[in-house]
């Protein structure tokens, strides 16, 4: 071994591939009993590997431009070609999201692991990194404590969400103590807590479809779910960054109806009808009507159905988030993703301080940064 990768998620495995293809003898150390657990979990409902968008539009979905050269090297086109090269054909859905024909992550992972094995990559599971031991890297392993001193190391340890799958951010104090600047983690692509009254309980688990969600100046169309804990689902995740930063949430529950047509419908309603009956006659679903009953009773009816304010009680906890914002700061690494404070150690994936929506952006960036870090690490003596 002369190259060590710590973390066997998508970023770490891609770094290992790049190192091995450059002729390095690679060992991957993984804390869990099996590899790529979060990757496989993400693929249970259909593995969204990327989005079939032009590169400029794709890259614009990230919160900063520092990943641009990495996405240029391994963006949507390259992801699709890589999947096909592993014997996993892909297709783009109507939204542009790209999936393997097999839909699940396991066939792609099996083919990838076979390729890595053919390149001589050795994967050691149940090897948990315990921080530094002088200039070495200490591990708790089934064989006892081990201290490794590889020529080059790539860290691919994930962020701070879904700790049970391996992303527990245990590495933060170890790097911080060595002078690495780390932006505190925050949840991203997460649900929000809502203080419901008891009458909402019968609507828990129901989806609101066809609404437009407003978070400050951002407007998204998407489905979301009313749960016992609040609001969650794709529509909410799409505006989660703005909501986390304090933008108010308002809902247009009838965005496809012109204001003149809405005014005509409202004029036909009987003032003697109950609010529930009027909402039903307007055509709202039971769960959408319940939201108006919950938060719009004191508002003019046209405002209640087109600009319903929803009070939020903060985001769901960090460990429940699909992804995270924050991580190792851009200023803490070189252009090749080498830690300035720790020469010879490179970083990639969700450890880095970037944020993106769901829809293939997260996985593509993990692969792109892993490839970038691995290729630059391979050039080190």
């Amino acid at each position: 071994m002369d190259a060590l990768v710590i973390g066997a998620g998508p970023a770490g495995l891609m770094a290992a591939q790049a190192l091995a293809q450059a002729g390095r003898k690679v060992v991957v150390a993984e804390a869990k009993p099996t590899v790529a657990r979060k990757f496989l979990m993400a693929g249970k409902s259909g593995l969204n590997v990327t989005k079939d968008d032009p590169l400029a539009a794709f890259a614009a979905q990230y919160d900063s431009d520092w990943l641009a050269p990495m996405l240029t090297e391994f963006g949507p086109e390259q992801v699709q070609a890589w999947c096909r090269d592993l014997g996993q054909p892909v297709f783009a859905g109507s939204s542009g999201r790209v999936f393997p024909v097999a839909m699940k992550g396991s066939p792609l992972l099996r083919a990838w692991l076979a390729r890595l094995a053919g390149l001589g990559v050795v994967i050691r599971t149940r090897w948990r990194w315990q921080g530094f031991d002088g200039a070495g890297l200490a591990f708790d392993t089934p064989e006892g404590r081990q201290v490794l001193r590889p020529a080059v190391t790539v860290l691919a340890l994930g962020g701070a969400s879904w700790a049970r799958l391996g992303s527990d951010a245990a590495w933060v104090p170890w790097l911080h103590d060595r002078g690495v600047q780390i932006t505190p983690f925050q949840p991203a692509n997460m649900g929000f807590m809502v203080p419901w009254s008891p009458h909402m309980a019968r609507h828990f688990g129901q989806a609101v479809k066809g609404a437009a969600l407003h978070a400050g100046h951002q407007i998204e169309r998407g489905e979301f779910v009313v749960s016992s804990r609040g609001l969650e689902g794709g529509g909410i995740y799409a505006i989660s960054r703005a909501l986390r930063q304090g933008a108010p949430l308002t809902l247009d529950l009838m965005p496809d109806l012109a204001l003149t047509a809405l005014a005509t419908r409202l004029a036909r309603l009987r003032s003697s009808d109950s609010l529930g009956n009027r909402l039903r006659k307007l055509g709202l679903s039971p769960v959408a009507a319940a939201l108006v009953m919950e938060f719009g009773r004191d508002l003019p009816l046209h405002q209640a159905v087109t600009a319903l304010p929803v009070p939020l009680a903060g985001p769901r906890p960090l460990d429940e988030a699909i992804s995270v914002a924050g991580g190792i700061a851009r200023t803490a690494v070189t252009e090749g993703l080498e830690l300035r404070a720790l020469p010879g150690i490179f970083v990639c994936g969700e450890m880095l301080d970037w944020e993106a929506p769901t829809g293939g952006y997260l996985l593509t960036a993990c692969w792109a940064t892993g490839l970038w870090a691995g290729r630059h690490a391979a050039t080190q003596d």
Side-chain angles (χ1 to χ4, degrees):
M1 178 190 70
D2 67 352
L4 174 67
V5 177
I6 307 179
L13 294 177
M14 187 61 82
Q17 176 180 309
L19 284 159
Q21 287 173 332
R24 306 301 288 255
K25 297 173 66 177
V26 185
V27 168
V28 180
E30 167 58 42
K32 294 294 185 179
T34 55
V35 304
R37 289 194 166 195
K38 192 174 180 181
F39 173 82
L40 291 174
M41 177 65 76
K44 280 194 170 183
S45 58
L47 184 68
N48 183 193
V49 295
T50 194
K51 191 169 184 184
D52 191 22
D53 277 348
L55 180 59
F58 186 87
Q61 294 298 312
Y62 295 84
D63 64 335
S64 64
D65 63 355
W66 76 303
L67 301 187
M70 304 165 213
L71 295 170
T72 298
E73 188 165 309
F74 199 76
E77 288 188 13
Q78 291 84 357
V79 168
Q80 294 176 70
W82 176 77
C83 290
R84 289 191 290 266
D85 191 51
L86 283 171
Q88 300 299 311
V90 295
F91 71 96
S94 58
S95 66
R97 295 187 177 196
V98 177
F99 302 86
V101 170
M103 290 302 289
K104 304 300 184 183
S106 50
L108 178 62
L109 180 61
R110 285 194 297 270
W112 192 12
L113 291 176
R115 171 171 292 180
L116 292 173
L119 290 168
V121 174
V122 175
I123 299 176
R124 295 175 177 167
T125 56
R126 295 186 173 92
W127 274 56
R128 179 174 292 278
W129 186 37
Q130 298 291 295
F132 296 96
D133 184 334
L137 298 155
F139 290 85
D140 177 22
T141 81
E143 294 76 33
R145 180 178 171 85
Q146 305 282 340
V147 179
L148 304 183
R149 295 177 177 84
V152 66
T153 300
V154 177
L155 302 180
L157 295 161
S161 65
W162 293 78
R164 66 186 179 87
L165 300 180
S167 299
D168 58 9
W171 53 269
V172 169
W174 303 330
L175 295 188
H176 183 268
D177 290 347
R178 295 288 179 121
V180 178
Q181 182 184 354
I182 301 170
T183 305
F185 281 117
Q186 300 182 77
N189 295 300
M190 66 295 186
F192 282 79
M193 295 179 283
V194 178
W196 302 120
S197 66
H199 93 273
M200 286 297 295
R202 62 192 180 96
H203 300 285
F204 292 162
Q206 296 181 25
V208 178
K209 302 179 180 181
L213 299 88
H214 296 242
H217 297 295
Q218 185 179 355
I219 304 173
E220 296 287 342
R221 292 291 296 269
E223 181 177 318
F224 63 92
V225 175
V226 173
S227 76
S228 61
R229 303 180 297 179
L231 298 178
E232 50 194 90
I236 291 293
Y237 302 155
I239 57 173
S240 60
R241 183 183 179 204
L243 295 178
R244 188 188 68 224
Q245 293 173 342
L249 171 63
T250 59
L251 303 176
D252 184 350
L253 299 170
M254 306 186 74
D256 296 320
L257 191 64
L259 291 178
T260 52
L262 176 61
T264 299
R265 289 194 188 184
L266 291 171
R268 293 174 180 164
L269 299 177
R270 296 178 180 178
S271 58
S272 58
D273 282 345
S274 67
L275 176 58
N277 277 335
R278 282 181 284 165
L279 295 173
R280 179 178 56 79
K281 290 177 180 179
L282 281 175
L284 290 185
S285 68
V287 64
L291 288 172
V292 175
M293 299 282 284
E294 183 81 349
F295 301 122
R297 282 182 174 274
D298 298 328
L299 299 175
L301 191 51
H302 73 276
Q303 181 182 348
V305 298
T306 60
L308 179 69
V310 178
L312 303 176
R316 295 298 306 164
L318 181 62
D319 193 47
E320 296 179 12
I322 292 175
S323 61
V324 293
I328 295 171
R330 181 177 187 176
T331 54
V333 296
T334 67
E335 291 299 313
L337 297 181
E338 184 177 18
L339 290 171
R340 297 184 188 277
L342 295 167
I345 297 181
F346 294 74
V347 289
C348 58
E350 283 196 275
M351 295 182 74
L352 303 173
D353 183 10
W354 55 271
E355 183 176 359
T358 58
Y361 303 100
L362 302 171
L363 191 48
T364 297
C366 285
W367 279 326
T369 58
L371 182 67
W372 188 268
R375 285 179 173 172
H376 282 82
T379 67
Q380 299 294 299
D381 296 330

